[in-house]
Amino acid sequence: LLTELDRVLDSESPQVSSGNGPMVQVALMYAVRPNVSPLLDVARQTWNEALEHIHALHRSYAVKYPEMSVKLEFTERRGWHLSHAPNCAPAEFLRTAAKGSSGRQMST
């Protein structure tokens, strides 16, 4: 059993001790070595492409709307979302709501 675990599990994968945030999700996705499960390899590739797209979109909004001070944030409840100054949100920001008492807004 130990030999099989050593073959499948990647000791170099990110280590996270507790929680449910995005780092735990990443740690779980990379706990298994590449090429052990083709479906997991596809899931990892899809995950990486989606995250790259999210970060690229954030960078483009930060450049396009510098006055809004756009930030990319993650919460368990909302997932990945944008946080920005309470200006009039452009039409590209589909759903916008107040973000607690911080005075900022969040959009998806």
Side-chain angles (χ1 to χ4, degrees), residues 47-104:
W47 173 267
N48 287 334
E49 289 171 2
L51 279 181
E52 287 173 11
H53 181 72
I54 288 168
H55 285 277
L57 192 59
H58 165 251
R59 284 190 301 275
S60 72
Y61 286 154
V63 169
K64 190 173 183 179
Y65 305 109
E67 70 281 357
M68 293 182 67
S69 179
V70 178
K71 296 179 183 176
L72 180 61
E73 298 183 10
F74 179 88
T75 62
E76 285 300 313
R77 187 170 150 232
R78 292 185 55 91
W80 291 102
H81 62 279
L82 300 173
S83 166
H84 53 85
N87 298 349
C88 184
E92 293 170 284
F93 292 17
L94 301 177
R95 293 183 295 176
T96 300
K99 181 183 174 191
S101 60
S102 68
R104 292 183 62 81

Side-chain angles (χ1 to χ4, degrees), residues 29-60:
M29 293 224 2
Y30 287 93
V32 176
R33 293 181 191 271
N35 302 319
V36 171
S37 167
L39 289 177
L40 183 57
D41 292 341
V42 170
R44 277 192 274 240
Q45 181 64 31
T46 304
W47 173 267
N48 287 334
E49 289 171 2
L51 279 181
E52 287 173 11
H53 181 72
I54 288 168
H55 285 277
L57 192 59
H58 165 251
R59 284 190 301 275
S60 72

